[in-house]
Amino acid sequence: GDKAFAQFLTDEIKEEKKIQKHKSLPKVSGGWELEVHGTEAKLVRKIAGEKITVTFNINNSIPPSADEETQEEQKPDEQEPDLTSTPNFVVEVIKDDTKQTLVLDCHYPEDEVGHEGEEESDIFTIREVSFQPTGESDWKDTNYTLNTDSLDWALYDHLMDFLADRGVDNTFADELIELSTALEHQEYIKFLEDLKSFVKCQ
């Protein structure tokens, strides 16, 4: 059984490498520096008096493809649709002269496709906003967290503009998807390789 499993993994790895779009991770334009720790990625950018970091994790970032219809329409010899990784991401804005960090929790809405015809909508939304003490890794549940569901639209628009002024806009969000998808695929291939070594190990 293990031999067959290892053989299957070998073929699978070959296939995945064949369809791998990026041999190295795509860059995000606008002077962002990338750090990757396993499945977590962090983009950092410094502008006058501020440091902006965007953190995301590729785990569970691929939305479930519940479209039964599209699968039936597919011709048998077609490639399966490209999986796209749309992770939630957290933007932290740290101003040099304050002890606080503004944290904005953002995500890609699942129904983003259905909004054609509205004025151009943003491809990501801000879900929560809070202040956290700078430099502390554990965020406090006691800090007020603003949920944007019930938020005044004007305030929400200002928050989106605030992010856009710091380079977090639709272009950025598009490139983040591209980066995350490449990273996810790379980690998937690595996982298959580890699994193969594990299965072959006597």
Side-chain angles (χ1 to χ4, degrees), residues 25 36 39 42 49 56 61 65 70 73 88 92 97 100 106-108 119 144 157 161 168 181 189:
L25 294 174
V36 180
T39 59
K42 185 182 200 174
F56 64 92
S61 65
S65 50
T70 50
E73 288 165 22
N88 298 343
E92 295 172 58
D97 48 2
Q100 284 184 317
C106 303
H107 74 140
Y108 295 96
E119 68 217 77
Y144 179 75
D157 284 343
D161 291 345
V168 180
T181 302
I189 292 173

Side-chain angles (χ1 to χ4, degrees), residues 129-132 140-147 150-151:
V129 188
S130 66
F131 278 111
Q132 297 296 342
K140 297 184 168 51
D141 289 339
T142 50
N143 286 6
Y144 179 75
T145 300
L146 175 68
N147 191 310
S150 50
L151 197 58

Side-chain angles (χ1 to χ4, degrees), residues 23-36:
K23 291 292 171 257
S24 61
L25 294 174
K27 294 260 186 288
V28 176
S29 58
W32 294 90
E33 281 168 36
L34 174 65
E35 300 166 23
V36 180

Side-chain angles (χ1 to χ4, degrees), residues 63-131:
S65 50
D67 304 346
E68 255 80 75
E69 304 151 42
T70 50
Q71 288 177 358
E72 284 166 24
E73 288 165 22
Q74 246 177 38
K75 322 244 178 338
D77 55 352
E78 273 182 30
Q79 275 289 322
E80 45 206 70
D82 288 347
L83 293 176
T84 308
S85 160
T86 50
N88 298 343
F89 59 97
V90 175
V91 183
E92 295 172 58
V93 181
I94 303 157
K95 288 193 186 259
D96 293 347
D97 48 2
T98 68
K99 297 278 184 293
Q100 284 184 317
T101 300
L102 182 64
V103 178
L104 302 103
D105 196 340
C106 303
H107 74 140
Y108 295 96
E110 274 123 46
D111 56 354
E112 165 222 327
V113 194
H115 286 320
E116 314 291 312
E118 285 182 23
E119 68 217 77
E120 58 183 89
S121 62
D122 293 295
I123 60 173
F124 69 96
T125 58
I126 301 171
R127 211 166 19 186
E128 292 181 344
V129 188
S130 66
F131 278 111

